[in-house]
Amino acid sequence: MLDTDAIWSNRLAAYPDRLEGPNLQSESVDVTTHVELIGRAGVLLGGIDCVVTLEHDGDDWEIAAVAYRSEFGGPGHDFDVPRLRSRAPDGTLADLAEREILRLVDGQYNTLADAASAEAHRP
């Protein structure tokens, strides 16, 4: 079971002025990250460089969009996260890739939110 008191105390320790600090509502920040797509039996399919757009809703950051490109080059792509979350999977390779990239990016949420807060507080 998660200890939410420990989670919040860590977040408040990292950003002590989070509750009294500047109002970040409607702020939008782009944060870069990298994810690795792993196939069956642990085979690395490739690395994906991402730019994650986070928007602040007044309470916390939400992942709004992801732009990504393979580290091997080629065309880049992007997708709207709320739209992807709200639609049923369509079984296409593009849909599967976007859902896997989003799952991996979601796993980095705390790090991304911390980076967005630091960027938004930067003068």
Side-chain angles (χ1 to χ4, degrees):
M1 180 168 233
L2 288 175
D3 181 0
T4 56
D5 290 337
I7 293 170
W8 277 109
S9 67
N10 286 342
R11 289 293 289 248
L12 290 174
Y15 299 99
D17 66 341
R18 182 179 189 277
L19 300 176
E20 293 84 29
N23 181 3
L24 296 177
Q25 185 167 0
S26 301
E27 286 287 329
S28 180
V29 176
D30 290 336
V31 179
T32 59
T33 191
H34 183 84
V35 297
E36 300 286 337
L37 292 178
I38 308 292
R40 291 185 179 182
V43 175
L44 175 64
L45 298 176
I48 305 292
D49 295 320
C50 302
V51 176
V52 180
T53 301
L54 292 109
E55 295 176 348
H56 205 282
D57 66 3
D59 290 321
D60 214 343
W61 294 101
E62 293 183 6
I63 298 172
V66 177
Y68 64 96
R69 171 174 289 198
S70 167
E71 65 186 2
F72 303 115
H77 301 281
D78 64 330
F79 59 92
D80 179 88
V81 172
R83 185 174 299 135
L84 180 66
R85 290 186 202 267
S86 67
R87 75 173 195 248
D90 63 16
T92 64
L93 183 58
D95 185 69
L96 292 170
E98 288 175 357
R99 289 180 189 280
E100 180 62 9
I101 290 168
L102 180 57
R103 184 186 72 76
L104 295 167
V105 166
D106 276 340
Q108 298 179 8
Y109 173 80
N110 285 339
T111 302
L112 295 170
D114 288 347
S117 292
E119 180 68 27
H121 286 148
R122 189 173 295 160

